[in-house]
Amino acid sequence: MRSERADADLLAESVLAAPPRLGSVRVLAIDGPSGAGKSTLARDVVCVLRTSGVTVAMVSTDDFATWDVPVAWWPRLVDGVLEPFAAGRACGYRRMDWTGGVPRLGEWVRVPVPDVLVLEGVSAGRASVRRRLSALCWVGGPRPAERLERAVARDGESARSRLRDWQRFEHGWFAVDRTAHNADRAIGLVQSERAR
């Protein structure tokens, strides 16, 4: 089994070896189901890239999604992040504030144009953005029950019911979007997920 650091090193090398497809920006999308370890891996990749002297920004889909709108917020990310970076301009968007359990629009985030954008979270590697990605990594993580417990540990017991609903939604989303099938790299992949 590969170490997490080795996975981060490999992804950093992979995205740097690929051409930029969002203006001058290389985009690494780290996608997969909730509780799989995407955020941890993304932070590790960012650390590896920064240690190498690469300017890097990380944007999470959690900054856009809500319980009621799990993936339809995408135009906000395109308008606020992807289009500005493609045009060589800094990006700006309002991050969702999840404190208190009910997400609402929070603070503005401004990000200068990086060498690499690490876009992480559920639907980060969706079909509509794949042509702009330099690399797509699928993080399958453990079985759904363990992922649910990880997510509950992160978000609190009061979120359990919503997280179960989220898991059902994302299962259908990934089956239709074929994210795992289109990934350049897969980490922690359960074989049955690959077949979806």
Side-chain angles (χ1 to χ4, degrees):
M1 184 172 161
R2 298 181 57 81
S3 73
E4 290 175 6
R5 175 60 193 228
D7 289 333
D9 288 341
L10 187 62
L11 286 174
E13 290 172 15
S14 176
V15 73
L16 291 176
R21 294 194 173 109
L22 186 69
S24 64
V25 179
R26 289 172 171 82
V27 181
L28 167 62
I30 300 178
D31 204 336
S34 59
K38 299 177 302 299
S39 298
T40 300
L41 177 61
R43 284 190 297 270
D44 290 348
V45 172
V46 167
C47 183
V48 169
L49 289 168
R50 285 186 177 150
T51 300
S52 302
V54 175
T55 61
V56 60
M58 185 168 83
V59 173
S60 173
T61 62
D62 285 349
D63 288 350
F64 298 87
T66 67
W67 292 121
D68 299 323
V69 186
V71 294
W73 45 262
W74 190 256
R76 286 185 49 232
L77 187 136
V78 170
D79 294 344
V81 179
L82 301 181
E83 291 303 333
F85 282 171
R89 297 188 321 266
C91 79
Y93 64 94
R94 285 186 73 186
R95 172 183 291 160
M96 294 306 296
D97 180 354
W98 284 81
T99 57
V102 178
R104 63 186 187 287
L105 284 174
E107 67 183 353
W108 276 93
V109 177
R110 304 245 183 245
V111 184
V113 180
D115 297 321
V116 175
L117 169 62
V118 176
L119 182 59
E120 74 85 18
V122 173
S123 83
R126 63 178 63 200
S128 65
V129 76
R130 286 187 196 136
R131 66 182 175 81
R132 298 179 128 181
L133 301 178
S134 297
L136 170 56
C137 176
W138 170 263
V139 181
R143 300 273 178 207
E146 186 176 339
R147 291 196 317 267
L148 176 63
E149 293 310 315
R150 285 181 175 187
V152 167
R154 177 193 67 213
D155 297 343
E157 187 61 40
S158 62
R160 182 179 294 275
S161 175
R162 287 188 175 262
L163 287 165
R164 274 195 203 107
D165 291 344
W166 186 278
Q167 277 191 334
R168 283 190 289 277
F169 170 81
E170 68 188 11
H171 176 81
W173 167 264
F174 290 131
V176 171
D177 196 66
R178 297 178 47 85
T179 317
H181 177 77
N182 286 284
D184 302 304
R185 301 217 181 269
I187 296 170
L189 183 65
V190 176
Q191 287 302 318
S192 62
E193 290 176 324
R194 186 71 175 186
R196 284 190 215 152

